[in-house]
Amino acid sequence: MSVLVTGGAGYIGSHMVLELLDAGEKPIVLDDLSTGFRWAVPDGVPFIEGQCGNQDLVSRVIRQHGVTEIIHFAGKIIVAESTSQPLDYYDHNTSQSRNLIDCAVKGGVKHFIFSSTAAVYGEPKANPVTEDEPLMPVSPYGRSKLMTEWMLEDASRAHGLHHIVLRYFNVAGADPKGRAGESCTIATHLVKLAAQAALGIRPALEIFGTDYPTPDGTCLRDYIQVTDLARAHLAALIHLREGGSNLVCNCGYERAFSVRDVIETMKKVSGINFEVKTSARRPGDPAAIVASNTRVREKLGWTPLFDDLPTIAKQALDWERRLHNRRAHGSGTKE
Ligand code: UFG
């Protein structure tokens, strides 16, 4: 069986490829390298440069490589950017996903796993949020992902495409063996930015909003380690292969950490007391969002291995240091 990983040169996708290889699977990567890196794809893994919405290309890849399963990561992920460039997000996350799903159906692909997001819930009324809560995304990013969830549901009903939707909470950390990490050149995620501040790559870290109705006034999030997230996809693949039903599952640890908790943890693991500034709220940030993970545990038999914020912070820091050295020596940028 061949597993096509779209976005396999990106942050989460590259960890998925490692997880598949470690499990003895045969991944194939399709990535347009808009934010991913060719060097992030391990040697020996077939790599095709292109967009997942290019139907001629995708159909050919499915035929030539005998693709039986697709894990779909390719997409745009910056919430704030989605509010200023909504049509780009609907193109990449919705239209191109539609084309990919169409190719999957026509090419006889058996199983499809889709990377969705906690952003489909918007601002939840209560935490931890279960998968059955109302879906009220507040950003074009969340809406563009939710539409793809709906397309999969409809394609499944009409064409029998077995699928699992995984809604990610705040993904962070890096491969524990140091083989991969978050390498994007435009960093927006808190843990990566904190690692950069600790290493002096950026002069300070800014806290966006200290007046939220939370214990320390900063936003609460559920940080999930990236290998644990990739392991949830592997569990989803096995579930579908064993004839399991379609599912929508949250991926998180059911734990809340504030922005200040993350900063203090990064300061502790790095030993650096980097500068922290406070500023106004960032538009579109929910005060608190934490996953209920009962379903992913019960239905997919998933249990986390890295449910520990200092471990996640240390992995992010180690990767950032490696990446910085690599770039300082002239590699690790676009290749
Ligand atoms: N934050 C700061 N300073 C920074 C960066 C982030 O204070 O420099 C804060 C944010 O305001 C937020 C928290 O840190 O309160 C986490 O922000 P991230 O940008 O790391 O992540 P988000 O919570 O915005 O995004 C995540 C996922 C999205 C998903 C969203 C749903 O990455 O895919 O949660 O809420 F859509």
Side-chain angles (χ1 to χ4, degrees), residues 53-135:
N54 179 339
Q55 292 197 262
D56 288 343
L57 176 67
V58 173
S59 303
R60 200 165 58 240
V61 170
I62 290 174
R63 244 188 352 262
Q64 283 176 352
H65 291 271
V67 171
T68 47
E69 286 150 324
I70 295 179
I71 309 184
H72 178 35
F73 294 98
K76 285 179 162 274
I77 60 153
I78 304 173
V79 178
E81 186 184 63
S82 80
T83 60
S84 58
Q85 300 168 23
L87 299 179
D88 268 3
Y89 275 70
Y90 291 122
D91 174 15
H92 284 265
N93 295 352
T94 314
S95 305
Q96 297 211 30
S97 293
R98 189 222 76 91
N99 290 357
L100 179 71
I101 295 167
D102 192 29
C103 290
V105 168
K106 289 179 178 148
V109 168
K110 289 190 170 64
H111 306 133
F112 196 104
I113 298 172
F114 174 56
S115 64
S116 188
T117 169
V120 297
Y121 298 113
E123 178 104 36
K125 288 209 172 59
N127 279 300
V129 61
T130 70
E131 293 83 352
D132 301 323
E133 290 300 311
L135 302 173

Side-chain angles (χ1 to χ4, degrees), residues 24-315:
E25 301 281 344
K26 287 190 208 142
I28 296 149
V29 169
L30 172 68
D31 197 300
D32 67 1
L33 299 182
S34 54
T35 54
F37 299 92
R38 179 65 184 91
W39 55 260
V41 181
D43 288 344
V45 173
F47 172 77
I48 298 104
E49 183 172 348
Q51 295 203 312
C52 64
N54 179 339
Q55 292 197 262
D56 288 343
L57 176 67
V58 173
S59 303
R60 200 165 58 240
V61 170
I62 290 174
R63 244 188 352 262
Q64 283 176 352
H65 291 271
V67 171
T68 47
E69 286 150 324
I70 295 179
I71 309 184
H72 178 35
F73 294 98
K76 285 179 162 274
I77 60 153
I78 304 173
V79 178
E81 186 184 63
S82 80
T83 60
S84 58
Q85 300 168 23
L87 299 179
D88 268 3
Y89 275 70
Y90 291 122
D91 174 15
H92 284 265
N93 295 352
T94 314
S95 305
Q96 297 211 30
S97 293
R98 189 222 76 91
N99 290 357
L100 179 71
I101 295 167
D102 192 29
C103 290
V105 168
K106 289 179 178 148
V109 168
K110 289 190 170 64
H111 306 133
F112 196 104
I113 298 172
F114 174 56
S115 64
S116 188
T117 169
V120 297
Y121 298 113
E123 178 104 36
K125 288 209 172 59
N127 279 300
V129 61
T130 70
E131 293 83 352
D132 301 323
E133 290 300 311
L135 302 173
M136 293 189 286
V138 292
S139 64
Y141 169 66
R143 281 194 271 271
S144 69
K145 288 282 188 174
L146 181 55
M147 283 196 267
T148 298
E149 289 195 13
W150 287 336
M151 286 192 289
L152 276 171
E153 206 180 306
D154 292 339
S156 176
R157 218 171 275 129
H159 309 293
L161 181 64
H162 298 296
H163 69 278
I164 291 188
V165 169
L166 297 177
R167 292 181 183 151
Y168 311 162
F169 282 64
N170 287 62
V171 190
D175 175 47
K177 294 182 186 148
R179 299 169 295 178
E182 190 172 359
S183 307
C184 54
T185 43
I186 304 169
T188 61
H189 288 143
L190 178 65
V191 177
K192 185 177 174 77
L193 292 172
Q196 290 185 337
L199 293 172
I201 297 169
R202 62 181 58 241
L205 189 75
E206 224 173 307
I207 300 180
F208 299 138
T210 53
D211 59 347
Y212 284 98
T214 59
D216 70 11
T218 67
C219 291
L220 296 174
R221 294 288 182 275
D222 187 338
Y223 294 89
I224 175 172
Q225 196 273 350
V226 61
T227 306
D228 270 344
L229 180 62
R231 291 174 54 250
H233 292 70
L234 198 60
L237 204 60
I238 291 163
H239 169 91
L240 290 173
R241 285 179 184 170
E242 289 175 347
S245 57
N246 297 341
L247 284 173
V248 176
C249 296
N250 287 340
C251 290
Y253 291 149
E254 216 169 297
R255 285 186 202 280
F257 289 104
S258 71
V259 175
R260 289 196 195 279
D261 290 333
V262 172
I263 292 171
E264 286 317 307
T265 305
M266 188 59 81
K267 285 187 172 182
K268 212 177 239 170
V269 301
S270 66
I272 308 289
N273 186 20
F274 53 84
E275 191 184 344
V276 176
K277 295 177 175 170
T278 57
S279 63
R281 291 183 180 197
R282 191 173 66 174
D285 276 342
I289 180 154
V290 179
S292 158
N293 65 16
T294 305
R295 189 181 290 175
V296 66
R297 285 177 181 271
E298 287 184 355
K299 298 281 185 189
L300 298 183
W302 175 83
T303 48
L305 293 179
F306 303 101
D307 177 3
D308 180 61
L309 192 60
T311 302
I312 294 173
K314 176 79 167 54
Q315 290 174 351

